Amino acid sequence: MSAIYLLRKISTKTPSRFHRSLFFSTFSKESKPDSSRTNSIRHLSSQRFVPSSIYRFPQSKILPNRKFSTSVETNLNDKSFERIHVQSGAILERIHKNEEEETVSKVNVGSEKVVREESEAEKEAWRILENAVVRYCGSPVGTVAANDPGDKMPLNYDQVFIRDFVPSALAFLLKGEGDIVRNFLLHTLQLQSWEKTVDCYSPGQGLMPASFKVRTVALDENTTEEVLDPDFGESAIGRVAPVDSGLWWIILLRAYGKITGDFSLQERIDVQTGIKLIMNLCLADGFDMFPTLLVTDGSCMIDRRMGIHGHPLEIQSLFYSALRCSREMLSVNDSSKNLVRAINNRLSALSFHIREYYWVDIKKINEIYRYKTEEYSTDATNKFNIYPEQIPPWLMDWIPEQGGYLLGNLQPAHMDFRFFTLGNFWSIVSSLATPKQNEAILNLIEAKWDDIIGNMPLKICYPALEYDDWRIITGSDPKNTPWSYHNSGSWPTLLWQIMPMRPQKLTGYI
């Protein structure tokens, strides 16, 4: 079976059987916070925007003139997504028989685990990963971002990045090596309280570092000690604070508990405080009118200028995931009940906003084409004052009839029609998108496999910025040339999101 077929089996509303994979087990579908905290099995709860005119639109794709509606199903209480519970080596898989009937069966229990021989490629991969492990006071605390022996000036690639360590952490967890992940979570939590400044200005309380490095400092002539030196952006290229680090930290914390069954970590007072600080920072009131998280360019995985400032999809999908994880892990008491209420309110508003306004398919494109501009009222159709000329000429011929995806960005008078891989994939993982939207996203990936995957799997986004857009938006950054490492180029590390499926289409890259 192809990758798209297997992923589509996961995304449909009433699947017959779900794949046992961390990729689809980290989150539950809108379950309530787990307040009991018992030891029983836990329920998971621009490209250039060239003006377009009517002759650019194939007549076969223009819908009849009628009253359009952008509403989509919200499915806030939808229970169709699978919950896989992991406790003390046991994996419980829920199998949906129909809408009302479901059974639970044990797959792996205790020592009765399926043992298979590792291939030479897997052994080599583990050897490389283990060589990248960083130790602090004798204990493993993470892996370096890059480990090139030939690189004499690695800049900050020899540091442990929070976002980059997540796929390594999931690999360690699935192998049963949870100590390194636990150490990583606790040590980065300790770094959260550091008062780092950029030109005498302190970032918001609760900010997690982008990376950290183990340094050896001399106490006297005969004594040294190891210290963790975090980078909150004060040394980073471009001096940007890491918006996604705290979100990834919360997601990884939840994954640690689900896989190891060790929920005592998330129940610690310092960990609970860390979650609250991150959530308070993300939920702080400001000038923004939208439920999405406002960020600057270069402050997430694509750490170079690519015109994603504002409300990029990647951050919104991670934000949604972190909100759901926080809601499940926070102990509900007098000190946290207001925060939990704020999280629930934000989840509802954020999911509606993304599903309603970020979604684009043939129907939505035709709606945008007929938008009236300069509308003033609370019930305006064109709420963001989008001009139809923003629709790029490549889009109508590119998007398939049965496909669709979530926009890369949405701001007043601006729609970024580029397809961003991580944001769309993570929207599926976290159930941010609806089942129908999941199906359409997978249809699009299958139909445009050569554009999105090509010879090197999973491009960051499609299409790349070119010509004047590249010069203006990226600042003529040579590292952002079209289809290069940052500007839409391939990023094989994204494969960890679909690797558990072992699809036939990716066998050449595994």
Side-chain angles (χ1 to χ4, degrees):
M1 292 183 288
S2 69
I4 302 304
Y5 175 80
L6 289 170
L7 282 170
R8 186 181 293 116
K9 294 284 285 184
I10 304 297
S11 66
T12 52
K13 187 173 181 60
T14 55
S16 59
R17 186 178 182 90
F18 285 83
H19 194 278
R20 297 184 292 277
S21 163
L22 171 70
F23 181 71
F24 295 103
S25 65
T26 306
F27 311 107
S28 69
K29 187 65 182 173
E30 303 297 342
S31 56
K32 296 181 179 179
D34 181 8
S35 58
S36 61
R37 305 297 181 188
T38 63
N39 289 326
S40 61
I41 294 178
R42 303 302 176 96
H43 285 280
L44 183 67
S45 155
S46 248
Q47 170 76 331
R48 294 169 65 186
F49 296 132
V50 181
S52 303
S53 57
I54 189 170
Y55 67 83
R56 296 185 184 275
F57 293 81
Q59 293 297 322
S60 61
K61 293 189 176 183
I62 296 181
L63 301 179
N65 190 8
R66 56 183 173 80
K67 184 178 180 180
F68 289 97
S69 173
T70 58
S71 62
V72 296
E73 54 181 314
T74 56
N75 291 324
L76 290 179
N77 297 315
D78 181 49
K79 302 296 181 182
S80 63
F81 278 75
E82 182 52 16
R83 300 175 183 179
I84 300 176
H85 314 301
V86 183
Q87 175 83 4
S88 302
I91 303 177
L92 302 185
E93 180 189 41
R94 178 166 298 172
I95 307 170
H96 288 257
K97 297 296 184 183
N98 51 46
E99 290 291 337
E100 283 113 22
E101 180 185 357
E102 55 187 23
T103 61
V104 179
S105 61
K106 283 191 176 182
V107 179
N108 272 335
V109 181
S111 60
E112 299 179 4
K113 295 182 178 179
V114 178
V115 179
R116 67 176 183 85
E117 185 177 354
E118 288 185 340
S119 66
E120 290 301 319
E122 289 174 308
K123 293 179 181 178
E124 177 69 8
W126 276 112
R127 185 188 67 80
I128 294 173
L129 184 60
E130 289 166 358
N131 287 340
V133 170
V134 174
R135 296 184 178 273
Y136 172 63
C137 297
S139 300
V141 293
T143 54
V144 294
N147 191 16
D148 184 2
D151 190 354
K152 304 303 180 183
M153 297 181 63
L155 297 177
N156 60 348
Y157 292 107
D158 61 346
Q159 299 187 25
V160 180
F161 279 77
I162 290 185
R163 75 171 75 100
D164 291 36
F165 178 66
V166 170
S168 300
L170 297 179
F172 284 121
L173 288 173
L174 293 174
K175 197 178 182 183
E177 301 178 10
D179 288 344
I180 184 174
V181 181
R182 182 184 178 91
N183 295 337
F184 170 84
L185 291 168
L186 290 176
H187 283 301
T188 49
L189 177 64
Q190 294 173 350
L191 300 177
Q192 184 186 32
S193 60
W194 281 45
E195 294 183 1
K196 287 283 187 174
T197 62
V198 179
D199 296 335
C200 302
Y201 177 75
S202 298
Q205 186 180 21
L207 182 70
M208 299 293 284
S211 62
F212 64 85
K213 186 172 185 176
V214 179
R215 297 188 185 276
T216 302
V217 297
L219 298 179
D220 52 44
E221 293 182 356
N222 301 317
T223 308
T224 61
E225 73 171 357
E226 290 183 338
V227 297
L228 296 180
D229 185 15
D231 179 12
F232 290 86
E234 75 279 0
S235 300
I237 299 172
R239 300 301 189 267
V240 288
V243 175
D244 58 345
S245 291
L247 306 178
W248 279 121
W249 184 86
I250 290 176
I251 293 169
L252 181 58
L253 175 65
R254 185 57 177 157
Y256 172 85
K258 292 298 297 181
I259 295 176
T260 65
D262 178 14
F263 294 94
S264 62
L265 179 62
Q266 68 190 41
E267 294 168 353
R268 290 175 43 152
I269 295 177
D270 55 345
V271 175
Q272 288 281 311
T273 302
I275 297 173
K276 292 176 184 177
L277 288 174
I278 296 173
M279 286 292 100
N280 285 330
L281 179 63
C282 294
L283 296 172
D285 294 331
F287 291 100
D288 196 16
M289 294 290 292
F290 310 130
T292 42
L293 194 60
L294 181 64
V295 300
T296 57
D297 216 349
S299 60
C300 50
M301 187 188 76
I302 305 173
D303 54 1
R304 316 285 290 188
R305 287 194 64 196
M306 284 190 64
I308 60 171
H309 60 280
H311 308 88
L313 176 63
E314 173 188 325
I315 292 298
Q316 312 317 318
S317 57
L318 291 176
F319 183 33
Y320 180 81
S321 303
L323 286 169
R324 292 188 58 184
C325 290
S326 299
R327 187 181 63 178
E328 293 203 4
M329 292 187 293
L330 280 173
S331 298
V332 182
N333 49 45
D334 290 339
S335 64
S336 64
K337 61 182 180 180
N338 290 335
L339 178 59
V340 172
R341 184 183 302 111
I343 290 174
N344 285 328
N345 293 337
R346 193 61 166 264
L347 276 170
S348 178
L350 179 62
S351 59
F352 174 82
H353 186 87
I354 297 297
R355 294 167 179 176
E356 181 86 359
Y357 303 123
Y358 273 64
W359 182 250
V360 59
D361 54 12
I362 293 296
K363 176 183 176 182
K364 183 63 175 287
I365 293 173
N366 277 275
E367 292 182 37
I368 298 172
Y369 176 69
R370 291 176 171 85
Y371 271 170
K372 295 179 181 179
T373 57
E374 314 300 332
E375 290 186 293
Y376 175 80
S377 70
T378 56
D379 58 351
T381 301
N382 188 2
K383 293 178 173 61
F384 300 93
N385 199 33
I386 304 299
Y387 280 78
E389 287 77 12
Q390 289 188 30
I391 300 175
W394 57 267
L395 183 59
M396 286 298 292
D397 290 326
W398 188 75
I399 192 168
E401 293 282 353
Q402 303 302 320
Y405 64 101
L406 294 170
L407 290 167
N409 208 332
L410 176 64
Q411 301 179 76
H414 173 67
M415 275 185 167
D416 188 344
F417 287 93
R418 288 176 293 177
F419 175 88
F420 282 86
T421 304
L422 179 59
N424 276 277
F425 270 18
W426 205 253
S427 296
I428 297 176
V429 175
S430 61
S431 301
L432 173 56
T434 68
K436 289 183 179 180
Q437 290 173 341
N438 294 339
E439 180 80 8
I441 292 172
L442 298 175
N443 283 338
L444 180 138
I445 295 174
E446 185 172 38
K448 299 299 176 182
W449 186 271
D450 291 339
D451 292 337
I452 298 173
I453 286 83
N455 294 324
M456 279 292 290
L458 298 183
K459 294 181 174 63
I460 299 171
C461 72
Y462 178 89
L465 295 170
E466 297 179 307
Y467 310 117
D468 290 340
D469 288 320
W470 167 73
R471 295 184 181 90
I472 295 171
I473 294 176
T474 73
S476 297
D477 187 341
K479 207 172 184 180
N480 269 19
T481 52
W483 306 108
S484 71
Y485 175 60
H486 284 97
N487 187 0
S488 184
S490 300
W491 205 314
T493 53
L494 289 175
L495 276 174
W496 68 269
Q497 296 178 91
I498 59 173
M499 283 296 287
M501 310 306 296
R502 301 186 66 84
Q504 292 181 353
K505 277 197 175 184
L506 292 179
T507 53
Y509 309 117
I510 296 176

